[in-house]
Amino acid sequence: MRIMDCSTTLVDVPTRRPHGFVDHQISEQSYLIVKVETEDGIVGVGEGVSPGGPWWGGESVEGQKVIIDRYLSQGVVGGDGARIRQIMNVLDRLAYGNHFAKAAVEMALYDALGKALGAPLHVLLGGRVSEERISVRWPLSSRDSEAAVEEANERHGEGFRAFKFKLGAVDPESDVRRVGGMIEQIPRPAMFQVDPNGAWDRRTAMWALEELAAMAVEVVEQPIARRDLSGMADLVRRSTAVEIMADESVCTPADALAAVASRACDSVAVKNGKAGGLDRALSVGSICALSGVRCFGGTALETSIGTAAAAHLCAALPRLDGGCELVGPLLLADDLVVEGVEYQAGQLTIPQRPGLGVEVDWDKVSKYQRRQDAHSNGGIGKPA
Ligand code: MG
């Protein structure tokens, strides 16, 4: 299954509403669409993304394009598409790091292999462990409390029963009180998670954990800095009611080993992009499962292309606790596929067709392709 071509396209897709992170908010999300073609004419598609821009993981979609076009593609073209892990080893020798870029290439290779074999991606990853549908936690934007409550009520009506608040945009005390106020206005049953993206110091986190536990918040994701594993371990020891989830602290399998060795988390948000691909994200899941650490399906605000890949990954993880937060297609004003991934009553259906199981709409890719003269940065404003 010789790979004959590997090409990339930058696109900017508008979001339905502004989505707020710690320091800024976005009104469009950028993606890098990777296309590989085999000697038999099979096309595989992958998607590179850096959620909300390079602030989260350091990589940008623009950087991913350069590293793939100029360096990684030479390790892909001419390679055997049935030997994906071997190709990934070659890519590691061509460029250190660049996990999101490598994940985008690997996704395209898996899509092509699945299509060639007539097998859905989760079968190639070891088969489905999860049910056919997985529950989805709904993320609420950091900024406007009134709009967030309205949105939560609407989504609760559709069947969503778990909500995640992005924190860190204002001072911790107002932030925590604001969440408490919103929680009171959201119908039950519902579970709540917060994610300050590492914005707190240790002492603030200890104070916040007690406050949040009293508000029935069940999960706090990445309360403190990603490198502070001993601080994370302290929080795990002190917190009985609230689960401490690692996101930024655990990207790769090596990070997962370090985190479980220092007991730095109760759970991990597993993501394909930050891990450097599906195969490595599966390794993160295996390390967690062997260590009694829970796994949750994290998002990078993917279109239906990346969401399908992440859904297959979630399905194949040895354990998945609490489902996922794969809401990308629902936050976007448009999609890049003929028929988007399917949501039903707050659950995401694992695609069943070969490869990723979604058909790319190339007219949409052209429509949202970044113009050569555009100076778009994906709608990212200056930090507040
Ligand atoms: Mg997070």
Side-chain angles (χ1 to χ4, degrees), residues 56 164 166 195 197 221-222 247-248 269 271 299 325:
W56 193 97
K164 166 169 153 179
K166 299 295 283 185
D195 181 6
N197 284 111
E221 179 179 342
Q222 200 63 50
D247 185 6
E248 286 89 332
K271 297 177 187 172
T299 183
E325 55 175 2

Side-chain angles (χ1 to χ4, degrees), residues 22 74 79 127 155 215 240 249 290 355 375-376:
V22 172
Q74 56 183 299
R155 294 299 178 180
M215 297 169 186
T240 48
S249 288
L290 289 167
H375 295 288
S376 171

Side-chain angles (χ1 to χ4, degrees), residues 24-46:
H24 51 253
Q25 56 182 357
I26 55 167
S27 53
E28 57 181 6
Q29 172 68 47
S30 304
Y31 302 93
L32 183 69
I33 303 305
V34 178
K35 186 174 164 187
V36 296
E37 203 167 335
T38 71
E39 57 189 334
D40 297 324
I42 294 171
V43 170
V45 178

Side-chain angles (χ1 to χ4, degrees), residues 47 302-309 312 329-330 334-344 348-354 356-365:
E47 177 179 286
E302 300 89 344
T303 72
S304 275
I305 300 169
T307 300
H312 289 288
L330 299 175
D334 204 352
D335 212 332
L336 302 176
V337 296
V338 175
E339 202 180 323
V341 289
E342 184 197 85
Y343 293 90
Q344 231 182 67
L348 172 62
T349 307
I350 311 301
Q352 288 304 316
R353 282 177 288 164
L356 296 178
V358 289
E359 190 191 333
V360 173
D361 183 337
W362 292 105
D363 290 338
K364 287 284 182 69
V365 173

Side-chain angles (χ1 to χ4, degrees), residues 4 35 42 72 101 112 123 154 213 229 232 244 247 257 259-260 275 289 296 332 341 347:
M4 305 304 283
K35 186 174 164 187
I42 294 171
L72 300 184
V123 172
E154 202 177 299
L229 291 188
M232 289 282 281
I244 307 294
D247 185 6
L257 283 175
V260 302
F296 176 66
L332 295 172
V341 289
Q347 294 190 311

